[in-house]
Amino acid sequence: MGEESAITRLREFMRARDWEQFHSIENLIKSVSVESGELLECVQWHGQPDTERVKDELADVLTYCFLLADALGSEPEELILAKLQSTEAKYPVDKAKGRSAKYDEL
Amino acid sequence: MGEESAITRLREFMRARDWEQFHSIENLIKSVSVESGELLECVQWHGQPDTERVKDELADVLTYCFLLADALGSEPEELILAKLQSTEAKYPVDKAKGRSAKYDEL
Amino acid sequence: MGEESAITRLREFMRARDWEQFHSIENLIKSVSVESGELLECVQWHGQPDTERVKDELADVLTYCFLLADALGSEPEELILAKLQSTEAKYPVDKAKGRSAKYDEL
Amino acid sequence: MGEESAITRLREFMRARDWEQFHSIENLIKSVSVESGELLECVQWHGQPDTERVKDELADVLTYCFLLADALGSEPEELILAKLQSTEAKYPVDKAKGRSAKYDEL
């Protein structure tokens, strides 16, 4: 990007405020859930949310997800790609095509 | 990375299964919350979770966050960095240092 | 109680505001999750929450749970008791005593 | 009801399994969120859920809500009624009628 990555900036931000002490694995996990609840609030009463508000709340969920990945010594893209490999095995194209059923109901 | 990015792989995966039809903004938001609940289950009874299980559940939350960002025409890193700028204004280092209080209680 | 029950009062409150139109099963379910996130925020950074704040947030979760039960034609106490019967079969005392493991790991 | 109340039965169930040790305020709050996520899964992809499955998942949310209320020395119905009183003041009928807006946007 030519600029610093998100996780580098997040680490600097937290270190400057001495906030790393609050970022246990458990607290980060709780924070992901808290922020997901605020994201869900964008569609609480209907399915046409304010896009800027969704971006704002999604940014918070992503922030804690990135901090949690970092605390686990992982990178977000790698976690996604590793999981995708196992999901591909569980949902083969021929069985899963066009269906939202859970893999054990396919 | 020398390989395809996570979002490119996710798009291919979804297109191959014809799953894009399920991925409205609202459904993706609900999915982020559903997966956050499974992540939280890792620390439901105590704060020392199985790291591999946390990575696995975090991967699911991240997957839906990346798909949601994509549906909004945004990139995850950009959303995080944009939010960080506004958070920096709300939590100045001198006031926020070492405190977990919400910004309006600083 | 000598007074009106919670669900009777909730129904009157909603009817007076014409809010029943928003209370589809799906919207009530989303609302339970949104409010659970606010409840979780009480323990986001530590395990010693402000008791009055917890009661306040729990009241919101309970409110939507009661409205959802009502929309399903059920009573909260009956739902709990019916579930307890099936849980008793899954977690026999001799196997489950003193363990927080999930029933399929007992 | 002529039978035991839900909270009496829940207390007996937990005591018999020695599970009260896991039921700190924080763990019960996390459990409400975990179960709310499972409830939300019922409407993850569409708004027409299986009613029996919704009842089953709602029963779990209610169970932890009742246990949490009990741990706080409160009764669920009382919490709902107390909150309803303060909500009535925030959402007067003349302003709130037929609108899903948050009270500070009325």
Side-chain angles (χ1 to χ4, degrees), chain B residues 37-84:
Chain B
E38 295 189 17
L39 177 62
L40 188 63
E41 199 182 346
C42 300
V43 294
Q44 186 173 4
W45 303 116
H46 55 76
Q48 287 79 40
D50 173 337
T51 305
E52 289 313 304
R53 192 177 153 210
V54 174
K55 286 184 189 175
D56 203 59
E57 299 298 349
L58 175 56
D60 290 336
V61 183
L62 278 164
T63 294
Y64 285 117
C65 284
F66 272 55
L67 288 170
L68 177 56
D70 198 45
L72 295 163
S74 300
E75 284 182 45
E77 298 238 340
E78 281 173 20
L79 288 174
I80 291 172
L81 290 168
K83 185 65 182 265
L84 194 55

Side-chain angles (χ1 to χ4, degrees), chain D residues 18-53:
Chain D
D18 218 0
W19 280 0
E20 296 146 312
Q21 59 182 311
F22 305 120
H23 290 176
S24 65
I25 301 284
E26 184 181 9
N27 285 357
L28 291 170
I29 288 176
K30 287 186 285 185
S31 299
V32 170
S33 263
V34 167
E35 298 299 342
S36 295
E38 295 189 18
L39 177 62
L40 187 64
E41 199 181 346
C42 299
V43 294
Q44 185 173 5
W45 302 118
H46 55 77
Q48 287 78 40
D50 173 337
T51 303
E52 289 311 305
R53 193 178 153 211

Side-chain angles (χ1 to χ4, degrees), chain A residues 41 45 53, chain C residues 38, chain D residues 91 99-106:
Chain A
E41 199 182 345
W45 302 117
R53 193 178 152 208
Chain C
E38 295 190 17
Chain D
Y91 295 88
R99 305 181 56 191
S100 68
K102 243 193 150 165
Y103 67 92
D104 49 4
E105 295 157 9
L106 288 178

Side-chain angles (χ1 to χ4, degrees), chain A residues 27-90:
Chain A
N27 285 358
L28 291 170
I29 288 175
K30 286 186 286 185
S31 299
V32 170
S33 262
V34 168
E35 299 298 341
S36 295
E38 296 190 16
L39 177 62
L40 187 64
E41 199 182 345
C42 300
V43 294
Q44 186 172 5
W45 302 117
H46 55 77
Q48 288 78 39
D50 174 338
T51 305
E52 289 311 305
R53 193 178 152 208
V54 174
K55 285 184 190 175
D56 202 60
E57 299 298 347
L58 175 57
D60 290 336
V61 183
L62 278 164
T63 294
Y64 285 116
C65 284
F66 272 55
L67 288 171
L68 177 56
D70 198 46
L72 295 163
S74 300
E75 285 183 44
E77 297 240 339
E78 282 173 18
L79 288 174
I80 291 172
L81 291 168
K83 185 65 182 263
L84 194 55
Q85 271 198 313
S86 73
T87 310
E88 272 166 343
K90 283 203 298 191

